[in-house]
């Protein structure tokens, strides 16, 4: 849809009569693409082999669960399977694998499967580092998801994480593992010399991840002054609004100055961004209100669309195959709407039909 030549955006851009507009890739998808750059193959390959060996064989899976129950150390009951389609599954698999590392090692020894990595302290440190970093990335991903999210909300979350990466890099270089709980636990068994060598490597990986984020989101960084104007118009620069958000930049500057002196509207902003822009009069501030409405109408991610597909999967299952398209449309509207009907008032208008 957003390819630059033969899809919707490309065709609109090529049409000289079509108005100029902003276009950008789904923010959640971009975050996932950046996250893949952190994939440590020396860690992921043996972990996936072991998990698949345990989970894809019913006997192995049952014996492994029995082993965990026999150890009785308050351990999680099972290893989850990794699914590439489910973005958050990699972190859950690695985190659970680290928790069950001793049980996995014992089980593989009983099966005469040789995996020297399970006893290699440096490999365990790599595993712990990857667990912590993926946990941080998963928190970011969950922050980006959800309904009624506006573009400024997602942009703020992304660049807040970019700043966190700078902090992580500085802390790792100093040997401060405050934000890396799993790595802190694993480092207790590693010598100081080996730990320092690993710290330098991990700091480089975090720096590369930071660079990938900056490169991937450079377009939003350039547009950020215009995007943040939506949520904080009173502290925005008077000349922050540019085309194509506004057609008359000079008039928009004057309106921004007038808006900054609206003390009554400042109080309304505390009630929420949407309520604020509902209150701003169109006649007095036509340029900046149109710009705000354009930003509000932008789809910052495909989360809503994909959640509808997930809802559709549950609504139209193999047990409900006789549903017509009309019924399906109505059920989807009921399942996805934010509207909450006043059922008491609706019922009051109906006459109860009593049986004789």
């Amino acid at each position: 849809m957003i390819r630059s030549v033969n899809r919707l955006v490309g065709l609109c851009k090529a049409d000289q009569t079509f108005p100029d507009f902003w276009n950008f890739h789904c923010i959640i998808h971009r975050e996932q693409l950046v996250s893949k750059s952190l994939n440590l193959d020396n860690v992921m390959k043996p972990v996936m082999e072991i998990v698949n060996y345990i989970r894809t064989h019913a006997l192995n899976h049952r014996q492994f669960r029995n082993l965990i129950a026999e150890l009785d150390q308050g351990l999680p009951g099972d290893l989850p399977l990794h699914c590439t389609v489910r973005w958050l599954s990699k972190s859950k698999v690695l985190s659970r694998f680290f928790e069950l590392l001793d049980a996995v090692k014992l089980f593989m020894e009983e099966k005469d499967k040789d995996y020297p990595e399970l006893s290699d302290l440096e490999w365990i440190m790599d595993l712990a580092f990857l667990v912590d970093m993926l946990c941080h990335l998963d928190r970011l991903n969950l922050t980006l998801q959800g309904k009624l999210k506006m573009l400024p909300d997602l942009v703020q979350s992304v660049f807040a994480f970019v700043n966190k990466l700078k902090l992580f890099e500085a802390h790792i270089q100093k040997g401060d593992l405050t934000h890396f709980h799993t790595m802190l636990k694993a480092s207790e068994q590693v010598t100081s010399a080996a730990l320092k060598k690993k710290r330098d490597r991990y700091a480089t990986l975090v720096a590369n991840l930071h660079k990938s984020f900056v490169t991937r989101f450079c377009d939003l960084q350039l547009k950020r002054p215009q995007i943040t104007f939506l949520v904080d118009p009173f502290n925005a620069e008077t000349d922050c609004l540019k085309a194509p958000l506004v057609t008359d930049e000079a008039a928009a500057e004057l309106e921004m100055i007038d808006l900054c002196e609206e003390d009554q509207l400042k109080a309304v902003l505390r009630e929420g961004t949407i309520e604020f822009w509902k209150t701003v009069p169109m006649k007095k501030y036509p340029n900046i209100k149109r710009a705000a409405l354009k930003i509000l109408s932008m789809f910052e991610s495909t989360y809503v669309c994909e959640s509808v597909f997930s809802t559709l999967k549950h609504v139209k299952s193999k047990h409900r195959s006789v549903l017509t398209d009309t019924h399906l449309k109505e059920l989807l509207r009921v399942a996805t709407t934010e509207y909450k009907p006043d059922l008491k008032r609706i019922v009051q208008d109906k006459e109860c039909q009593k049986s004789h």
Side-chain angles (χ1 to χ4, degrees):
M1 183 173 179
I2 63 171
R3 290 181 185 174
S4 58
V5 179
N6 59 352
R7 293 297 178 90
L8 177 61
V9 171
L11 295 174
C12 292
K13 291 284 187 181
D15 189 350
Q16 299 296 326
T17 62
F18 201 88
D20 193 13
F21 60 93
W22 282 2
N23 68 285
F24 46 83
H25 192 63
C26 170
I27 293 178
I28 297 179
H29 289 173
R30 280 202 254 187
E31 184 269 337
Q32 280 301 308
L33 291 173
V34 176
S35 301
K36 290 181 179 180
S37 65
L38 191 66
N39 189 19
L40 299 177
D41 291 334
N42 67 309
V43 174
M44 290 302 302
K45 185 177 178 180
V47 168
M48 291 300 105
E49 288 178 357
I50 293 172
V51 170
N52 290 336
Y53 175 76
I54 294 174
R55 286 300 305 264
T56 57
H57 298 82
L59 177 61
N60 291 343
H61 188 201
R62 186 168 60 254
Q63 290 175 341
F64 180 72
R65 293 176 65 181
N66 292 337
L67 175 62
I68 295 174
E70 291 174 4
L71 294 175
D72 192 23
Q73 299 175 354
L75 297 172
D78 202 358
L79 274 174
L81 271 171
H82 171 56
C83 178
T84 305
V85 176
R86 297 189 176 186
W87 298 336
L88 305 181
S89 68
K90 184 186 292 185
S91 172
K92 294 178 180 178
V93 171
L94 290 175
S95 179
R96 186 67 61 84
F97 189 91
F98 185 86
E99 293 180 71
L100 296 172
L101 188 60
D102 292 336
V104 170
K105 180 180 177 182
L106 180 59
F107 181 77
M108 299 306 286
E109 288 175 352
E110 291 178 355
K111 292 292 184 178
D112 293 327
K113 296 291 183 180
D114 184 26
Y115 280 93
E117 295 91 347
L118 299 177
S119 301
D120 186 352
L121 296 179
E122 292 190 4
W123 183 87
I124 295 174
M125 278 293 294
D126 289 345
L127 172 64
F129 168 75
L130 191 57
V131 168
D132 286 330
M133 284 305 304
L134 289 179
C135 284
H136 288 303
L137 287 165
D138 282 0
R139 291 192 195 102
L140 170 62
N141 190 282
L142 291 172
T143 304
L144 299 178
Q145 297 181 33
K147 293 182 179 180
L148 303 180
K149 292 273 188 176
M150 297 183 296
L151 179 60
D153 299 331
L154 272 66
V155 171
Q156 178 184 354
S157 298
V158 168
F159 288 108
F161 186 78
V162 170
N163 292 330
K164 288 178 185 177
L165 289 176
K166 291 182 180 180
L167 179 68
F168 294 161
E169 180 186 358
H171 278 199
I172 290 175
Q173 289 175 340
K174 293 187 297 183
D176 184 359
L177 303 180
T178 304
H179 303 289
F180 296 85
H181 304 292
T182 310
M183 195 159 59
L184 181 63
K185 182 179 179 181
S187 65
E188 297 173 355
Q189 303 176 2
V190 182
T191 63
S192 57
L195 183 58
K196 185 179 184 304
K197 181 181 178 182
K198 285 293 182 181
R199 288 204 314 261
D200 295 338
R201 179 171 176 245
Y202 298 152
T204 302
L205 290 172
V206 174
N208 292 337
L209 184 63
H210 175 270
K211 184 178 179 181
S212 298
F213 264 97
V214 172
T215 303
R216 182 71 67 173
F217 290 95
C218 61
D219 58 331
L220 291 179
Q221 180 64 43
L222 295 174
K223 295 181 174 71
R224 196 176 180 188
Q226 300 183 72
I227 295 172
T228 54
F229 138 83
L230 180 72
V231 294
D232 192 10
F234 298 106
N235 293 320
E237 296 292 335
T238 56
D239 60 346
C240 66
L241 294 178
K242 306 293 183 183
L245 288 183
V246 293
T247 54
D248 190 342
E249 296 181 13
E253 290 183 15
L254 297 178
E255 291 177 16
M256 286 290 293
I257 295 173
D258 291 337
L259 182 65
C260 290
E261 302 302 324
E262 289 274 8
D263 294 332
Q264 293 181 347
L265 290 177
K266 289 180 181 179
V268 179
L269 185 59
R270 301 190 190 100
E271 300 177 8
T273 302
I274 296 178
E275 292 299 323
F276 170 78
W277 287 109
K278 285 181 180 178
T279 310
V280 173
M282 176 65 81
K283 290 183 179 180
K284 190 174 181 180
Y285 304 104
N287 290 284
I288 60 176
K289 182 156 186 176
R290 288 194 186 97
L293 293 176
K294 288 178 182 179
I295 298 175
L296 280 170
S297 65
M298 292 180 183
F299 287 93
E300 67 286 338
S301 73
T302 59
Y303 173 83
V304 175
C305 178
E306 292 177 8
S307 64
V308 170
F309 281 116
S310 298
T311 304
L312 177 63
K313 178 182 176 181
H314 294 289
V315 170
K316 190 173 183 178
S317 63
K318 63 180 180 180
H319 304 294
R320 307 178 72 184
S321 57
V322 296
L323 287 175
T324 65
D325 291 341
T326 303
H327 290 153
L328 187 62
K329 180 180 178 181
E330 294 170 350
L331 288 169
L332 279 177
R333 289 186 65 182
V334 171
T336 58
T337 183
E338 295 292 327
Y339 173 71
K340 296 181 180 180
D342 187 353
L343 296 177
K344 290 184 178 181
R345 186 181 63 81
I346 295 173
V347 171
Q348 286 175 355
D349 297 336
K350 304 297 181 182
E351 183 178 351
C352 181
Q353 300 292 333
K354 299 180 181 180
S355 60
H356 299 287

